[in-house]
Amino acid sequence: MPHSSETFLPPLIDPMGEEATFIYQPHVQATQASSSRPSSPTYGSWEITDLLVKQYSPLFHAAANVPSFIRAFSTLTNLRHLKISCPNQESGQRYRRDVVDYALISLRIAVERSNLPLFDTLSLNSVHPGALLYLNPLMGFGSRPNSVKKWRQIRKLAIHMDSVPYTSPPFDHLRLMHSYLQIYAASITKFVFRWHGPKSLCPLSLDKEICLQERSPGLACPQRCHLALRPLKFERLQDMEVENIIVDAFLISSFITAHRHTLRDFKYEDTQLRSGTWDQALAPLTRISGSEKWKEKTEEVMDVPLVLSPVGLEDVQVKKIMANSLMCKTRIMRPSIGAWQRAGARSRELFWGTPEHMKKFLRTSIFSWR
């Protein structure tokens, strides 16, 4: 569900022309279908329910219809992989709740109250930072004491999130990220993370970032927000990949050392070191292996040939050309031994072709190539 003008929610206005306070509490129990008025209001009070029905679009009421989400997920007993995508949120709307956020609340509650024994993979593709608040079973609306149990079935977690600024407060979105990853610390074996947009901090080492340790008096609860973050320790993590981050070399070294008993493959793609060098960041590999042979491994580089196709020809003509080419190739692939012995260096070069030979062939061809 992408963010758009249709998902935007304006403030509620009461009959006196003032903004009404709306405290959302998910209505989980399904109402009986009848022509009479339901026995209890859907949104807390009859006054707020009437305002929401009159001022908000049907899309909001569909997103907040938790029983419908529960009925849908109750039929997906073989669900293994859940993908959530809600892109295109403007940065100025990050602290405003819209229809997408209510849909995430309903989805999370439906997953927690459905029987999904095979559910083990979760992908959050192109999500906004605030989405983690509504997907957090410990902090989200309508959470129960056993809500976290369902999410700890996850073994593979992938998150692609809109970038969060880290040079100036507030840093609450980074704290939400750290709290959300704590839920999966004891269960996941594979983790993939990528920031969309400018580089931001590594989500695996937020507890050591100075910006999250300093007191911010502008926050509503500065005493609470000043509490130290618990370090992330993934007990079963085997594969890890993070992309588009900025991090210190010693933080990478600390993470590798802390997970050396389980981690077997890690990737830092498009990563900028804020301090230190890559030799310092990967120093634990030398201590673990007992030598520096891991540095001798190099990437394989090869040339990939281009396959050209003619433009403006009918299928019959193309098939005829391909047939002729195949016949010529068959004849060439079986040269005699004497021919090989008589062939000089120049002949072999022309036989296999060179870039200049290919350019000359294309310039003199009667077809239009691309």
Side-chain angles (χ1 to χ4, degrees):
M1 178 183 287
H3 297 266
S4 65
S5 58
E6 296 180 354
T7 62
F8 175 78
L9 295 177
L12 280 178
I13 305 300
D14 61 18
M16 302 300 295
E18 298 180 355
E19 183 176 353
T21 301
F22 174 39
I23 301 177
Y24 179 63
Q25 182 65 31
H27 192 79
V28 179
Q29 300 297 329
T31 57
Q32 298 294 330
S34 64
S35 58
S36 60
R37 193 178 189 182
S39 59
S40 61
T42 305
Y43 302 107
S45 66
W46 292 115
E47 293 77 13
I48 294 297
T49 300
D50 291 338
L51 290 178
L52 291 171
V53 171
K54 294 177 181 178
Q55 299 183 27
Y56 282 178
S57 67
L59 188 60
F60 162 78
H61 300 284
N65 192 346
V66 180
S68 294
F69 280 78
I70 294 178
R71 286 194 298 270
F73 273 86
S74 64
T75 64
L76 305 176
T77 54
N78 293 325
L79 178 68
R80 295 177 180 270
H81 188 179
L82 176 61
K83 296 182 181 181
I84 301 174
S85 179
C86 41
N88 304 334
Q89 186 190 53
E90 298 181 2
S91 58
Q93 302 295 327
R94 285 185 175 175
Y95 291 92
R96 291 188 62 90
R97 197 178 304 159
D98 64 1
V99 173
V100 176
D101 298 322
Y102 288 97
L104 292 177
I105 296 173
S106 300
L107 185 145
R108 194 204 76 244
I109 296 175
V111 171
E112 295 168 359
R113 306 197 179 198
S114 301
N115 182 25
L116 306 172
L118 304 179
F119 177 45
D120 65 353
T121 305
L122 176 63
S123 297
L124 306 182
N125 300 329
S126 301
V127 297
H128 55 289
L132 300 186
L133 171 62
Y134 307 108
L135 292 175
N136 193 323
L138 298 177
M139 304 169 58
F141 296 84
S143 297
R144 300 189 300 182
N146 62 343
S147 294
V148 71
K149 181 179 179 180
K150 183 71 64 176
W151 300 101
R152 284 181 176 166
Q153 294 180 199
I154 300 297
R155 296 295 178 265
K156 300 176 183 178
L157 176 64
I159 302 178
H160 293 184
M161 179 174 290
D162 296 339
S163 182
V164 175
Y166 63 93
T167 55
S168 60
F171 306 111
D172 46 0
H173 284 137
L174 294 174
R175 290 180 174 274
L176 287 176
M177 165 68 69
H178 184 83
S179 175
Y180 186 73
L181 293 181
Q182 284 282 9
I183 299 171
Y184 304 97
S187 61
I188 61 173
T189 60
K190 182 176 182 179
F191 177 65
V192 178
F193 183 89
R194 183 182 190 277
W195 289 114
H196 285 298
K199 287 182 173 61
S200 191
L201 301 179
C202 179
L204 303 176
S205 55
L206 293 177
D207 58 292
K208 297 180 176 64
E209 293 292 342
I210 299 178
C211 64
L212 297 179
Q213 298 175 0
E214 297 176 348
R215 188 185 302 272
S216 300
L219 297 175
C221 301
Q223 297 293 338
R224 176 68 179 174
C225 295
H226 184 58
L227 297 179
L229 301 177
R230 290 191 304 164
L232 286 174
K233 181 64 169 66
F234 297 95
E235 300 176 4
R236 303 180 180 180
L237 186 64
Q238 298 177 1
D239 301 317
M240 183 277 294
E241 179 179 350
V242 290
E243 184 176 352
N244 197 30
I245 66 169
I246 181 170
V247 67
D248 296 314
F250 83 92
L251 294 179
I252 297 178
S253 176
S254 300
F255 182 84
I256 296 175
T257 302
H259 297 83
R260 64 186 182 278
H261 297 297
T262 60
L263 193 64
R264 63 185 184 187
D265 186 17
F266 61 91
K267 299 178 182 178
Y268 286 88
E269 300 284 352
D270 194 13
T271 298
Q272 176 183 345
L273 291 182
R274 187 169 44 188
S275 64
T277 64
W278 280 108
D279 285 340
Q280 296 172 344
L282 303 178
L285 297 181
T286 302
R287 294 194 297 268
I288 295 172
S289 62
S291 66
E292 295 186 352
K293 291 185 178 180
W294 60 272
K295 294 183 179 181
E296 300 175 0
K297 296 182 179 180
T298 58
E299 296 182 353
E300 295 184 1
V301 180
M302 63 181 66
D303 295 330
V304 180
L306 294 178
V307 180
L308 307 178
S309 61
V311 179
L313 294 181
E314 297 181 357
D315 293 340
V316 177
Q317 294 174 302
V318 174
K319 292 180 180 179
K320 185 176 180 180
I321 295 173
M322 292 179 64
N324 294 335
S325 176
L326 182 60
M327 293 177 59
C328 295
K329 182 177 180 180
T330 304
R331 295 171 182 172
I332 294 175
M333 290 297 292
R334 297 180 179 178
S336 62
I337 298 178
W340 274 109
Q341 294 175 348
R342 291 191 300 269
R346 179 60 179 170
S347 299
R348 287 193 296 272
E349 182 179 351
L350 292 176
F351 175 77
W352 291 110
T354 61
E356 292 75 13
H357 176 70
M358 178 62 71
K359 293 178 182 178
K360 183 178 179 181
F361 169 74
L362 294 178
R363 284 197 299 268
T364 58
S365 174
I366 61 174
F367 305 112
S368 175
W369 295 83
R370 64 180 179 185

